[in-house]
């Protein structure tokens, strides 16, 4: 007994030491294991996320190749050309009004789309969130149904609705509301309608998600405390579903500003958006560096807008807290 | 002309939810009069319609049939925000995005009260519910009891004519619930506002109320002061739901207004109180509260055998069966160092204190 005790006491420092080493080794192993486990994800992010961006970033500082592609002459020309253009005769720099108007239009249309989607999507999401459980899934299914078909096909369908002898105009003429068809197709209005239609589900889904969590007793409490419907909406519902509103706005704004198909088909070539401008650089204009520069510029603008937006939201939340 | 002392009146109110097969009759032709400055409790098991009645008064639901009057005026058609009535919700329903002060001031602000006045009333309310200095807190930073106080202050701030309370104490632990019971009673006395309180807890109902309405299956069975409800239940359900009770089959042999005589199964004839309805002599059920009896070695008015003796500190419960097999409980107060007078298997006689036998309607 006594011998056993002595041995045990004597061996304490060594076991402690080896114990510490063993722990360290185990920790190293677990760190290695963790990296091993995340490596497929990292590889995919690197390969399909960061690599293409890096290529674009490099291209934007090179010169266009003779027949599309690039040539390896470093220059800032592409970045300069995003908003400026050289006069054909005297090479002086001037503002590229075409580009400026396209970028402006893109921001305005994306913003209008976002607001329209919010105006339409908010009551829709509220309606779904207030249905009985079983019906909700049906309504969500119906909302997401358009996503099951191709955007191109849906946009062509939208053309059928909006064109001069389309469903809207022919019904309005049939009802004697108008005599001549309204000019909708190939206008900014058509693009706005098309974008709103295309991205509405992206607004409804996050709005629904936050409304579903809304405690409807709070609305009752609002009514009980003399708030009428509008006051309860502004003072209780909107502040509480704010995360959903923000998520929905971001999800609609970002794809809308880079839209390609909708402005191409419904804008009829004269109402270009940034997406079309970029596509042109990689296509007919054969100016890959400029296309890359505009792409990155668009990304930066969206990021700045988002950062400002999120900052505001956070500071507002802090103010409340 | 309506009586000015009446705060809320429900006249033949029926509420049906759903339709067709799934139709649920939550309230069935309910009439009740709640007096001004009264602490009125709607007591009943879950699903009895008590919350529905409260929500009808608040305006969250509209009656399928019948009228609801507030101080003599019909209000059934008004939306909740046009009724001078406020609710304390079961889980408080405090606005999580507002501070305590903003919560309390919300109703006043919605009524269009100027900012400084709102701030003043909010301060008064914080003092009233003993939450001074906590106005700037967020509601999520409060304990359950504090949230309860904020909910009360928020509902009391606009000085409603009637305050509706929907099981407000059910989420609190026992000790806090006892405190809040006293607190609620104090608030009602200080503000002089009519309280309509919904609960399934009979003890809460008995301790706080001026009057209690016992509800079951969409009907009000009995309305009365807690003492009346406890001592003179008119129906089996009321007697059963409130407190512990012995039901004994008996024969009604004499009727004299609200008093009468019954013959118990043992053959003994004893005086009994009658419910407020016309009865004819014959078979009835009588109620005898366990604490209104005494056990004696001789015959008494009922005889039984003791099955079980349970010691409870303040008193001892004797579970007996009567000679005809009916279970019976007697609750005797303990004296210091007194040994139990009876043990299991003993025969015992039961004596009943005067006026302790109540005849039921059914």
């Amino acid at each position: 007994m006594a011998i056993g005790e002595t041995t045990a006491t004597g061996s304490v420092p060594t076991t402690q030491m080896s114990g510490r080493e063993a722990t360290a080794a185990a920790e190293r192993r677990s760190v290695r294991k963790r990296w091993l486990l995340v490596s497929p994800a990292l590889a995919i992010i690197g390969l399909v996320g960061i690599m293409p961006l890096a290529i674009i970033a490099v291209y934007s500082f090179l010169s266009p190749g003779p027949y599309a592609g690039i040539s390896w002459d470093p220059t800032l020309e592409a970045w300069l050309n995003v908003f400026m253009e050289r006069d054909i005769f005297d090479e002086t720099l001037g503002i590229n009004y075409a580009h400026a108007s396209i970028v402006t239009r893109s921001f305005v249309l994306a913003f209008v789309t976002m607001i329209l989607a919010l105006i339409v999507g908010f009551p829709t999401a509220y309606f779904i969130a207030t249905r009985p459980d079983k019906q909700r899934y049906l309504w969500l299914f119906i909302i997401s149904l358009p996503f099951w078909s191709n955007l191109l096909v849906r946009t062509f369908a939208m053309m059928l609705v909006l064109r001069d002898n389309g469903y809207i105009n022919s019904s309005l003429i049939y009802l004697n509301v108008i005599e001549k068809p309204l000019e909708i197709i190939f206008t900014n209005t058509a693009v706005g309608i098309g974008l709103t239609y295309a991205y509405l589900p992206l607004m409804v889904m996050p709005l629904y998600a936050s409304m579903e969590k809304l405690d409807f007793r709070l609305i009752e409490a609002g009514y009980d405390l003399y708030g009428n419907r509008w006051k309860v909406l502004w003072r209780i519902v909107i502040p509480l579903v704010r995360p959903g509103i923000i998520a929905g706005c971001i999800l609609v704004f970002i794809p809308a500003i880079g839209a390609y198909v909708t402005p191409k088909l419904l804008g009829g070539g004269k109402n270009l958006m940034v997406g079309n401008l970029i596509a042109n650089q990689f296509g007919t204009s054969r100016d890959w560096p400029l296309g890359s520069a505009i792409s990155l510029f668009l990304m930066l603008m969206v990021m700045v807008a988002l950062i400002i937006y999120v900052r505001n939201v956070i500071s507002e939340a802090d103010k409340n807290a | 002309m309506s009586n000015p002392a009446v705060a809320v009146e429900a006249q033949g109110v029926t509420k049906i939810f759903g339709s067709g097969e799934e139709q649920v009759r939550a309230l069935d032709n309910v009439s009740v009069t709640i007096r001004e400055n009264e602490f009125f409790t709607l007591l009943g098991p879950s699903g009895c319609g008590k919350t529905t009645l409260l929500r009808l008064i608040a305006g969250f639901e509209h009656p399928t049939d019948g009228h609801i009057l507030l101080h003599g005026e019909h209000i059934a058609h008004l939306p909740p925000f046009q009724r001078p009535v406020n609710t304390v919700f079961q889980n408080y329903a405090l606005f999580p995005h507002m501070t305590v002060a903003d919560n309390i001031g919300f109703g006043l602000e919605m009524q269009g009260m100027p900012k400084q006045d709102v701030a003043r009333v909010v301060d008064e309310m914080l003092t009233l519910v003993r939450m001074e200095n906590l106005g700037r807190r967020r509601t999520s930073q409060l304990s359950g009891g504090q949230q309860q106080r904020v909910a009360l202050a928020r509902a009391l701030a606009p000085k409603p004519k009637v305050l509706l309370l929907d099981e407000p104490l059910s989420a609190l632990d026992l000790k806090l619930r006892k405190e809040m019971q006293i607190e609620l009673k104090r608030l009602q006395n200080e503000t002089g506002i009519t309280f309509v309180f919904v609960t399934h807890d009979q003890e809460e109902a008995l301790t706080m109320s001026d009057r209690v309405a016992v509800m079951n299956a969409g009907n009000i069975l009995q309305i009365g002061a807690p003492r009346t409800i406890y001592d003179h239940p008119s129906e089996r359900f009321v007697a059963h739901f409130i407190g512990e009770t012995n039901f004994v089959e008996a024969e009604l042999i004499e009727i004299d207004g609200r008093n009468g005589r019954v013959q118990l199964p043992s053959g003994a004839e004893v005086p009994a109180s009658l419910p407020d309805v016309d009865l004819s002599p014959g078979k009835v059920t009588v109620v005898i509260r366990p604490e209104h009896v005494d056990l004696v070695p001789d015959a008494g008015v009922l005889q039984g055998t003791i099955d079980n003796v349970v010691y409870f500190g303040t008193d001892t419960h004797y579970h007996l069966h009567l000679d005809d097999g009916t279970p019976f409980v007697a609750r005797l107060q303990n004296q210091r160092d007194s040994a139990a007078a009876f043990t299991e298997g003993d025969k015992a006689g039961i004596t009943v204190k005067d006026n302790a036998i109540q005849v039921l309607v059914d």
Side-chain angles (χ1 to χ4, degrees):
Chain A
M1 220 20 191
I3 294 166
E5 270 168 22
T6 335
T7 329
T9 340
S11 67
V12 163
T14 33
T15 44
Q16 255 181 2
M17 196 61 127
S18 65
R20 205 174 297 149
E21 274 167 17
T23 326
E27 208 160 280
R28 273 198 301 278
R29 266 201 305 281
S30 89
V31 167
R32 221 178 300 144
K33 200 171 159 193
R34 246 178 281 158
W35 277 107
L36 206 67
L37 285 172
V38 296
S39 58
L42 288 178
I44 288 172
I45 291 169
L47 214 64
V48 307
I50 295 170
M51 270 272 280
L53 267 181
I55 292 170
I56 295 245
V58 172
Y59 276 15
S60 71
F61 292 103
L62 298 175
S63 311
Y67 309 100
I70 40 101
S71 68
W72 289 86
D73 300 323
T75 167
L76 288 175
E77 194 71 11
W79 279 97
L80 208 62
N81 281 342
V82 172
F83 273 114
M84 309 296 252
E85 61 184 349
R86 281 188 201 284
D87 195 281
I88 308 171
F89 302 108
D90 57 10
E91 296 267 309
T92 51
L93 273 174
I95 291 170
N96 187 333
Y97 288 106
H99 286 190
S101 84
I102 288 172
V103 169
T104 313
R105 178 186 299 121
S106 299
F107 267 94
V108 169
L109 272 176
F111 189 76
V112 168
T113 299
M114 181 181 91
I115 298 298
L116 282 178
L118 184 61
I119 291 170
V120 179
F122 193 92
T124 310
Y126 189 87
F127 172 82
I128 298 173
T130 49
R131 291 311 97 188
D133 274 359
K134 275 184 199 163
Q135 285 179 33
R136 288 186 197 173
Y137 297 109
L138 181 70
W139 284 107
L140 285 177
F141 172 73
I142 292 171
I143 289 289
S144 63
L145 204 56
F147 268 15
W148 292 37
S149 70
N150 189 294
L151 177 62
L152 196 63
V153 178
R154 282 184 285 142
T155 310
F156 271 115
M158 209 61 192
M159 289 179 80
L160 293 180
V161 175
L162 297 177
R163 67 182 181 187
D164 288 356
N165 55 353
Y167 297 122
I168 289 183
N169 276 317
S170 48
S171 2
L172 286 177
I173 289 171
Y174 178 78
L175 293 169
N176 281 324
V177 180
I178 49 168
E179 283 174 19
K180 278 194 309 192
L182 296 172
E183 271 183 48
I184 309 174
I185 191 97
F186 307 142
T187 61
N188 285 332
T189 313
V191 179
I193 293 173
L195 287 175
T196 307
Y197 162 70
Y199 298 121
L200 186 62
L202 295 179
M203 178 64 86
V204 173
M205 295 296 175
L207 273 177
Y208 166 77
S210 59
M211 280 183 192
E212 189 202 32
K213 280 183 288 186
L214 184 65
D215 184 352
F216 282 87
R217 280 172 312 191
L218 296 177
I219 296 174
E220 282 191 346
Y223 286 150
D224 188 61
L225 293 163
Y226 313 105
N228 59 28
R229 285 176 180 80
W230 277 108
K231 283 175 176 166
V232 168
L233 178 69
W234 283 108
R235 293 293 310 276
I236 294 165
V237 180
I238 289 179
L240 290 175
V241 300
R242 194 198 196 93
I245 296 176
I246 292 166
C249 286
I250 290 174
L251 283 180
V252 169
F253 185 80
I254 292 176
I257 201 169
Y260 172 74
V261 171
T262 314
K264 177 131 183 141
L265 294 182
L266 298 178
K270 53 180 179 163
N271 296 295
L272 290 183
M273 286 177 70
V274 180
N276 311 100
L277 184 62
I278 294 167
N280 279 351
Q281 306 314 316
F282 287 96
T284 43
S285 299
R286 294 183 191 168
D287 195 342
W288 287 22
L290 179 56
S292 306
I294 300 172
S295 299
L296 286 175
F297 169 76
L298 178 64
M299 223 179 98
L300 288 173
M301 290 309 288
V302 169
M303 272 167 72
V304 168
L306 275 183
I307 287 167
I308 293 170
Y309 193 43
V310 170
R311 277 259 174 90
N312 275 340
V313 167
I314 289 172
S315 72
E316 192 122 336
D318 283 345
K319 209 163 55 189
N320 284 338
Chain B
M1 278 302 284
S2 67
N3 188 341
V6 170
V8 182
E9 200 174 351
Q11 297 173 342
V13 170
T14 297
K15 176 67 188 177
I16 296 170
F17 288 109
S19 56
E21 297 264 306
E22 291 167 30
Q23 184 169 307
V24 177
R25 195 173 276 263
L27 287 175
D28 191 6
N29 196 15
V30 165
S31 295
V32 59
T33 302
I34 298 167
R35 297 174 197 143
E36 211 163 309
N37 300 345
E38 172 171 56
F39 197 119
F40 191 89
T41 298
L42 298 168
L43 172 67
S46 60
C48 72
K50 55 190 193 297
T51 297
T52 305
L53 184 54
L54 199 77
R55 290 174 61 82
L56 283 166
I57 300 172
F60 301 132
E61 310 283 355
H62 295 282
T64 312
D65 199 11
H67 303 289
I68 293 171
L69 289 86
L70 184 74
H71 289 269
E73 282 173 45
H74 286 271
I75 55 163
H77 60 283
L78 293 177
F81 50 86
Q82 288 176 5
R83 300 186 184 200
V85 164
N86 289 133
T87 308
V88 177
F89 293 85
Q90 189 166 9
N91 294 313
Y92 319 138
L94 298 177
F95 304 127
H97 56 297
M98 297 182 195
T99 62
V100 167
D102 289 344
N103 263 280
I104 297 173
F106 188 83
L108 300 168
E109 196 190 318
M110 289 295 117
Q111 285 180 320
M113 186 186 265
K115 272 220 160 71
Q116 304 108 300
D117 294 349
V118 172
R120 184 177 48 76
V121 178
V122 167
D123 281 342
E124 280 172 25
M125 284 297 145
L126 284 168
T127 313
L128 183 69
V129 296
R130 297 174 179 158
M131 295 259 303
E132 303 95 336
N133 310 324
L134 292 178
R136 303 192 61 79
R137 289 273 184 94
R138 307 219 96 197
T139 56
S140 54
Q141 297 169 314
L142 302 177
S143 69
Q146 288 172 326
Q147 289 187 23
Q148 172 69 80
R149 284 161 199 271
V150 176
L152 271 166
R154 186 179 70 173
L156 285 170
K159 306 233 167 5
K161 292 194 170 149
V162 177
L163 185 74
L164 308 173
L165 303 107
D166 186 6
E167 306 219 15
L169 307 182
S170 59
L172 302 178
D173 61 47
L174 186 67
K175 188 164 171 285
L176 213 50
R177 194 156 46 195
K178 299 268 183 214
E179 275 177 38
M180 284 309 293
Q181 287 179 8
I182 296 163
E183 185 83 12
L184 274 177
K185 198 67 194 159
R186 176 182 71 86
L187 285 173
Q188 201 248 334
N189 285 334
E190 281 180 23
T191 56
I193 290 171
T194 309
F195 277 33
V196 182
F197 185 87
V198 158
T199 184
H200 63 266
D201 185 324
Q202 42 126 343
E203 189 193 297
E204 245 170 52
L206 295 180
T207 53
M208 292 195 288
S209 320
D210 295 320
R211 286 196 306 151
V212 180
V214 183
M215 295 186 71
N216 187 38
N219 289 296
I220 292 182
L221 302 180
Q222 190 174 1
I223 302 175
R227 216 168 249 288
T228 314
I229 296 271
Y230 186 83
D231 287 342
H232 302 288
S234 61
E235 298 199 31
R236 182 179 285 266
F237 180 86
V238 177
H240 195 75
F241 192 73
I242 299 174
E244 222 181 326
T245 312
N246 296 302
F247 295 102
V248 177
E249 299 302 321
E251 184 94 17
L252 182 57
I253 52 175
E254 208 182 298
I255 302 172
D256 175 20
R258 297 287 301 275
N259 299 308
R261 289 183 74 78
V262 293
Q263 185 176 42
L264 296 174
S266 60
E269 289 178 18
V270 287
S273 309
L274 305 185
D276 199 7
V277 288
D278 288 334
L279 287 177
S280 46
K283 282 220 162 298
V284 288
T285 305
V286 297
V287 168
I288 308 170
R289 294 286 182 192
E291 68 276 21
H292 293 162
V293 303
D294 210 349
L295 295 182
V296 290
D298 51 352
V301 293
L302 286 164
Q303 294 80 40
T305 311
I306 292 168
D307 296 326
N308 211 345
V309 180
V310 187
Y311 178 71
F312 269 91
T314 55
D315 46 26
T316 302
H317 297 191
Y318 294 89
H319 294 260
L320 302 93
H321 65 269
L322 301 182
D323 289 348
D324 64 350
T326 315
F328 196 95
V329 180
R331 193 187 299 169
L332 307 189
Q333 200 153 24
N334 290 325
Q335 305 300 324
R336 190 169 161 157
D337 290 338
S338 67
F342 298 90
T343 54
E344 284 163 35
D346 283 357
K347 283 258 180 198
I350 300 162
T351 60
V352 181
K353 289 161 193 166
D354 279 347
N355 234 340
I357 294 182
Q358 171 69 33
V359 175
L360 296 179
V361 170
D362 60 348

